[in-house]
Amino acid sequence: MTTAIFIVIFARKKWWIDLNGKTKGPFVTMDGAQQEAIALASGFAKDGRRAEVQVAEPGEKRRIVYQSSDIGMLGRAAALTNH
């Protein structure tokens, strides 16, 4: 199953949400764009699909702020491993 990745980006002095090349916005603040992206991703999750929201701030590495799915089996196995 594929994951819909909503990316909050800053371009042309405004914040936008990008999903597969389709944009929504502009938003005045990053927080406003992020909250809208999470709301959109949550809608995907209610339909049984996986979704994720990433924020790409200028000069920073992308970070995940929302994921609709649980930790996968590999993640669970790693968590149970005694390090």
Side-chain angles (χ1 to χ4, degrees):
M1 177 185 300
T2 61
T3 301
I5 300 175
F6 295 82
I7 304 172
V8 176
I9 59 171
F10 188 75
R12 299 184 307 248
K13 300 181 182 181
K14 304 248 191 261
W15 289 94
W16 304 82
I17 300 169
D18 178 85
L19 174 64
N20 298 328
K22 296 178 184 174
T23 58
K24 180 171 175 125
F27 297 87
V28 176
T29 65
M30 179 183 70
D31 188 54
Q34 183 175 314
Q35 293 305 316
E36 179 66 17
I38 290 171
L40 291 168
S42 295
F44 268 61
K46 287 179 183 173
D47 290 340
R49 298 178 283 180
R50 287 187 287 183
E52 177 175 295
V53 175
Q54 300 177 4
V55 176
E57 293 183 71
E60 298 289 327
K61 186 177 177 183
R62 270 192 211 173
R63 59 189 167 88
I64 298 169
V65 295
Y66 172 86
Q67 282 185 317
S68 65
S69 61
D70 293 330
I71 298 172
M73 292 302 290
L74 183 59
R76 286 187 188 127
L80 293 172
T81 304
N82 194 4
H83 296 293

